[in-house]
Amino acid sequence: MGRKILIVDDEAEIRNIFEQAFSQKGYVVRLSESAEEALEILKQENINVMFLDLRLPKMSGVELCKKVKKRNPMAIIYAVTGYASIYDVILCSNAGFDDYFTKPMDLEILIKAAQDAFEKIDRLKKEIKLQK
């Protein structure tokens, strides 16, 4: 089974760009246009790497991050936003985001972030197995 990434953004164009970039690198990409839809996807599938837009309709990316981290502390979650401020950076850090990217972003940097995230998850899983 391929490595899954969840992209949550209310802009279809952004979701499509992410899907193309990550799919070309061999990742299985799941797309969501809302936090609520993302939570439904996560009930059905085990996904540990996510890119969340901060400004989503109804529930924000920050709220979504907190909910996901509560359920899955091992998840690696990246914030993506078009509106960068120091307040957002602090908010993201407190919510449990692993890093923060501003739009427009370099897709190669995002792909490297995903690769690093999967390597970190693999290391954590090995450590957990060794402790058992």
Side-chain angles (χ1 to χ4, degrees), residues 31 65 77 81 99 130:
L31 303 175
C65 179
I77 306 175
T81 185
D99 208 343
L130 290 174

Side-chain angles (χ1 to χ4, degrees), residues 59-104:
M59 185 191 309
S60 73
V62 170
E63 291 173 70
L64 176 58
C65 179
K66 287 178 183 176
K67 286 184 183 230
V68 171
K69 283 287 191 174
K70 191 178 275 187
R71 288 185 196 169
N72 181 3
M74 195 184 287
I76 296 181
I77 306 175
Y78 298 112
V80 179
T81 185
Y83 314 94
S85 73
I86 191 68
Y87 173 75
D88 283 336
V89 172
I90 294 167
L91 200 61
C92 286
S93 177
N94 292 340
F97 281 100
D98 292 88
D99 208 343
Y100 183 97
F101 300 100
T102 54
K103 297 175 191 174

